[in-house]
Amino acid sequence: MNQKPFVAIVMGSDSDLPVMQVTLDTLNALEVAHEVRITSAHRTPERTHAYIHDAESRGAAVFIAAAGMAAHLAGTVAGITCKPVIGIPMESGPLKGADALYSTVQMPGGVPVACVTIGKAGAKNAALLAAQILSISDEALAGRIKADRQAQAEAVMAKDNALQEQLNR
Ligand code: RP5
């Protein structure tokens, strides 16, 4: 089999999409192949199971799972595949993501989930982390990730230069 590795993204609800758009945008900017599905660990358990198996058979190399409240989607995915799973706690419900954070990060030993920050920062970091995993065997992608880091550094330096100019006026 010689499939191009891709990132498979699942989210528990369409209400997660506005935040998850950041993941899609970040992967698009880095030219990382990906696909996305709405599927829930508790509302569509069989579909979730079938999709993870299907995606893995087609070359999914990293999974990203986003869910809110009693968030068990990332842990469910990690129980189905041995590929790396990144979990994003969604900022939904009365506890504003604290419940999802604990649910996602507190996996019992043996079945890991790499949990990122609640909300949009996590959505961005999940994409970057997935890209970094794929870049281990993709030099061109590693170069694009380094260029992104460099752009971030240059933006900070430009802001500091502007601040110093303002202070010395
Ligand atoms: C989770 O419950 C979803 O991931 C979402 O973050 C949260 C609320 O879902 P909806 O009631 O908006 O569909 O399953």
Side-chain angles (χ1 to χ4, degrees), residues 7-146:
V7 179
I9 304 159
V10 289
M11 63 187 86
S13 170
D14 64 336
S15 65
D16 300 322
L17 188 53
V19 170
M20 289 307 294
Q21 190 60 48
V22 176
T23 301
L24 305 180
D25 292 346
T26 305
L27 290 172
N28 279 330
L30 288 170
E31 298 168 47
V32 173
H34 60 278
E35 61 182 38
V36 59
R37 295 281 187 284
I38 297 167
T39 191
S40 161
H42 53 279
R43 289 173 176 150
T44 58
E46 285 90 2
R47 189 168 181 273
T48 298
H49 209 273
Y51 172 65
I52 300 306
H53 278 304
D54 174 56
E56 189 168 353
S57 76
R58 291 184 289 104
V62 184
F63 288 86
I64 294 176
M69 303 181 77
H72 33 258
L73 185 57
T76 297
V77 173
I80 299 168
T81 180
C82 290
K83 295 283 190 284
V85 177
I86 304 167
I88 312 171
M90 292 288 103
E91 194 177 346
S92 53
L95 301 186
K96 307 222 176 303
D99 41 5
L101 172 64
Y102 283 144
S103 302
T104 305
V105 78
Q106 283 292 86
M107 283 299 286
V111 183
V113 165
C115 179
V116 294
T117 328
I118 297 170
K120 283 190 177 173
K124 186 173 189 105
N125 281 345
L128 291 169
L129 184 53
Q132 287 173 217
I133 292 168
L134 291 181
S135 78
I136 291 168
S137 54
D138 183 337
E139 265 181 47
L141 176 56
R144 294 195 290 278
I145 293 167
K146 276 190 192 139

